[in-house]
Amino acid sequence: MTRTRLKNIIRGLTQAGSLFPHQMAFTLLIPLRALLLSPAELLRRLHPAADQRILEVGCGPGYFSPALAHAVPQGELVLADIQPEMLAIARRRLQKRHLANVAYHLCDGHHFPFADSSFDRIVLVTVLGEVRDRSAYLREFARLLKDDGLLSISETAGDPDKLDQQELIALLATHGFTPVHQYGNRRNYTINFAVADTEQQQ
């Protein structure tokens, strides 16, 4: 490994605004990650129905993805990531578990090629802070959510791109979202948002 490549990997791990390096994807799959937010706890906060459609944005190597796919056996999980290497790792993990209700999408950083009102849940875990064009993504999320859908954003301690709760709520308010459920604490939290003019608390 060249010195330049090593520096780029280290920068991705420690510098705000940098993509998490795919070379270190294995660190996102360690069991200790559950101490911050486990797949089971994420599902409890999402409370999806079995026939719903979920978009997981920034899925990385798919730490939460198997649990999400199992939760919607009559529905569909769409995994989206801007790094093809991460998406490939996630695909292998899901296929190894014989989960067939999963689709894969390589993000372009601006647009999602899905119809309006396509998803019941849109899920981001420690992702939004890495997104360069947050406004574009949030406009897309408002378009993609069903009337009773939820945009679920989780942040955990130690992430250099972490948004604090008030910062997140203020950002989403400018794009027409309002918080409907909040879980966890200041260090590790999940906030579920609905589009303000179609809010249906569940």
Side-chain angles (χ1 to χ4, degrees):
M1 180 181 298
T2 66
R3 181 174 296 181
T4 299
R5 190 175 179 189
L6 180 59
K7 284 182 178 179
N8 289 337
I9 292 172
I10 294 171
R11 185 181 301 116
L13 288 170
T14 60
Q15 183 173 311
S18 299
L19 291 175
F20 193 93
H22 65 85
Q23 298 92 337
M24 300 298 291
F26 68 93
T27 66
L28 298 176
L29 299 172
I30 60 174
L32 285 175
R33 189 175 178 185
L35 295 175
L36 301 177
L37 179 63
S38 70
E41 178 61 21
L42 180 63
L43 284 181
R44 190 185 72 79
R45 297 174 180 186
L46 285 174
H47 43 84
D51 61 349
Q52 288 186 335
R53 194 172 188 223
I54 298 175
L55 173 63
E56 184 185 1
V57 178
C59 63
Y63 176 72
F64 297 99
S65 307
L68 292 171
H70 276 297
V72 290
Q74 287 84 53
E76 183 183 39
L77 171 66
V78 177
L79 298 185
D81 204 281
I82 203 165
Q83 296 189 74
E85 299 89 350
M86 287 290 201
L87 206 57
I89 297 169
R91 184 192 292 266
R92 289 195 295 270
R93 280 174 51 78
L94 274 291
Q95 290 178 342
K96 184 177 180 181
R97 291 161 174 78
H98 306 290
L99 291 163
N101 62 330
V102 185
Y104 304 87
H105 170 68
L106 183 63
C107 297
D108 66 5
H110 303 284
H111 175 71
F112 290 83
F114 306 112
D116 295 357
S117 304
S118 292
F119 293 97
D120 301 280
R121 301 285 186 272
I122 299 176
V123 180
L124 293 84
V125 180
T126 64
V127 169
L128 191 59
E130 295 181 1
V131 174
R132 290 187 179 180
D133 193 347
R134 296 176 193 171
S135 292
Y137 268 40
L138 292 172
R139 285 194 299 269
E140 283 288 85
F141 297 159
R143 179 182 69 82
L144 293 172
L145 273 179
K146 295 182 180 180
D147 287 347
D148 59 350
L150 294 176
L151 169 60
S152 181
I153 298 178
S154 298
E155 298 286 354
T156 60
D159 182 357
D161 300 299
K162 179 183 176 182
L163 303 175
D164 69 46
Q165 290 160 296
Q166 295 311 309
E167 180 184 10
L168 179 63
I169 291 170
L171 172 64
L172 267 73
T174 65
H175 291 83
F177 289 95
T178 186
V180 292
H181 312 114
Q182 297 189 46
Y183 304 94
N185 53 46
R186 183 179 59 83
R187 290 174 55 79
N188 302 296
Y189 69 84
T190 298
I191 303 179
N192 294 337
F193 296 86
V195 179
D197 61 355
T198 58
E199 176 186 343
Q200 294 183 14
Q201 295 197 30
Q202 299 178 10

